[in-house]
Amino acid sequence: MIPTLEWTPEGVNFLDQTKLPLEETYVLATDYKQVATVIRDMIVRGAPAIGVSAAMGVAIGIDRSTATTIPALNEEVAVICETLAKTRPTAVNLFWGIAQVRDLYNELAAKNTPIPEIKAAVVALGQRLYDEDIAACKRMGAHGAALMPKEGTVLTHCNAGALATCGYGSALGVIRGAIEAGHKIDVLADETRPFLQGARLTAWELMKDNIPTTVLCDNMSAHLMSKGRIQAVIVGADRIAANGDTANKIGTYGVSILAKEHGIPFYVAAPFNTIDLATAHGNDIPIEQRDAREVTHSNGKQMTPDGVGIENPAFDVTPAKYITAIITERGVLRAPFNESIKAMAQKGVN
């Protein structure tokens, strides 16, 4: 299991994904501000991993607090949650993770629970969410395995693997589940400009698992689809609206259109907490704009003329009409998504 992040007595230890695939190094966050920096700078990334990281960030903030009264700690918790909430706006899992620990804290604080007991409880919750994420990914893999081709090539965009979760992965978890079920699958990984999550991260972790992998430039998939080289597409998600519109790494929308044109099934794999029932459709999903330097530079070398305008949205939104199915740990959702999502939310965990 690739150790994306880990709670330790010293702090939260993160695999530095900005250094992969050439260096496997770790960053230790010993307070909530450092956790916020790790999330903002994409040392950890991927919606499920961000959610658990945020939960652990709130937990470590409470655990390391020197407040001696509940009112004083209440003020600190508000600042902790606000700091973490400002890191990355698109991934709804971030806010879910913050809310999980904040809600437990509020419940315990309202009962005047002794502060040492509150600290122990929020730390235990952060650790439990880590374990639950891995279990959810494995259930996702089991639900989605049957949708993958028995034999053939699957295209993925960005990294929705073990590195984007606490382990196993969402989209790559489905691929892993299919291979464990005996499917003969190889993977095409879009490089995913400008941060190169596919070329750096997806290729790295699939090679570690000895899963045949080929990296494509982002503009090559249409050609390969037209030649019958791709049997399915599967991606992750950072936020799914109540109608099924899905925000994922920039470039996903274009891949979905190409898949539709070529009659190729297009799947989204994400934990159910990525579905934001409060967001009616994709137009309401906030899209993070990132630093222009991610576009202008590569490996520290400037690639564009001085002063040229730069656009760097981190995500785009794939309309539900292009999505064949959404795979969650609770089961598989199909169109009409507004109805199937609502029914699954009401039913709860199987």
Side-chain angles (χ1 to χ4, degrees):
M1 189 72 68
I2 296 169
T4 311
L5 65 145
E6 182 183 15
W7 182 279
T8 74
E10 293 76 30
V12 188
N13 206 27
F14 295 92
L15 177 62
D16 188 347
Q17 298 189 34
T18 66
K19 300 292 179 62
L20 291 174
L22 302 181
E23 297 179 36
E24 295 181 34
T25 59
Y26 290 81
V27 173
L28 181 66
T30 58
D31 60 39
Y32 75 90
K33 292 179 181 177
Q34 292 177 357
V35 173
T37 298
V38 162
I39 296 171
R40 185 182 303 107
D41 292 350
M42 293 177 69
I43 290 167
V44 68
R45 28 71 50 207
I50 287 173
V52 176
S53 298
M56 288 188 174
V58 179
I60 199 171
I62 295 170
D63 187 50
R64 302 291 166 92
S65 171
T66 58
T68 57
T69 66
I70 293 293
L73 188 52
N74 286 342
E75 292 183 8
E76 284 193 32
V77 170
V79 173
I80 291 165
C81 293
E82 182 182 9
T83 300
L84 288 160
K86 289 179 177 178
T87 54
R88 301 201 65 193
T90 301
V92 72
N93 310 62
L94 172 80
F95 306 99
W96 170 86
I98 292 169
Q100 291 293 301
V101 180
R102 182 190 61 218
D103 291 352
L104 175 61
Y105 169 79
N106 288 340
E107 177 185 338
L108 296 174
K111 298 176 182 176
N112 288 314
T113 305
I115 289 177
E117 292 183 24
I118 292 176
K119 291 182 175 183
V122 296
V123 169
L125 175 57
Q127 293 172 311
R128 188 170 77 245
L129 293 176
Y130 175 93
D131 293 333
E132 288 176 355
D133 181 71
I134 296 172
C137 287
K138 290 186 175 180
R139 291 198 300 273
M140 241 182 291
H143 286 306
L147 301 177
M148 293 294 98
K150 291 290 185 181
E151 186 172 345
T153 300
V154 178
L155 175 73
T156 190
H157 188 78
C158 194
N159 172 266
L163 291 169
T165 64
C166 294
Y168 201 73
S170 52
L172 297 191
V174 171
I175 290 172
R176 287 185 170 97
I179 290 172
E180 289 165 8
H183 297 214
K184 306 299 182 184
I185 291 174
D186 66 284
V187 178
L188 293 177
D190 278 345
E191 62 175 350
T192 321
R193 279 282 294 155
F195 211 67
L196 301 177
Q197 293 96 324
R200 295 188 302 107
L201 307 179
T202 295
W204 179 79
E205 70 166 90
L206 290 181
M207 288 183 72
K208 274 188 168 289
D209 277 358
N210 296 314
I211 296 173
T213 307
T214 301
V215 172
L216 299 181
C217 296
D218 287 359
N219 56 3
M220 295 177 178
S221 58
H223 171 72
L224 294 180
M225 288 180 182
S226 73
K227 302 300 181 183
R229 290 275 304 279
I230 297 170
Q231 281 66 58
V233 178
I234 187 164
V235 300
D238 286 81
R239 187 183 302 212
I240 301 172
N243 71 339
D245 293 348
T246 296
N248 192 51
K249 185 54 57 183
I250 190 72
T252 303
Y253 177 26
V255 173
S256 74
I257 295 171
L258 292 171
K260 185 77 168 182
E261 173 66 22
H262 291 90
I264 299 168
F266 182 95
Y267 300 110
V268 173
F272 195 78
N273 61 27
T274 306
I275 299 174
D276 182 8
L277 296 173
T279 298
H281 48 74
N283 290 338
D284 293 334
I285 298 175
I287 300 298
E288 176 186 3
Q289 288 279 342
R290 292 192 58 81
D291 193 330
R293 188 178 174 87
E294 292 178 358
V295 176
T296 62
H297 287 69
S298 179
N299 290 325
K301 182 179 179 180
Q302 186 169 327
M303 307 297 289
T304 58
D306 287 331
V308 70
I310 298 295
E311 184 74 22
N312 189 19
F315 306 93
D316 56 23
V317 176
T318 297
K321 66 181 179 179
Y322 293 126
I323 299 171
T324 307
I326 299 171
I327 304 160
T328 79
E329 76 277 20
R330 299 187 188 184
V332 177
L333 296 162
R334 294 188 181 274
F337 290 110
N338 57 341
E339 296 179 10
S340 59
I341 287 172
K342 183 178 180 181
M344 186 174 282
Q346 292 173 340
K347 184 177 180 182
V349 179
N350 290 335

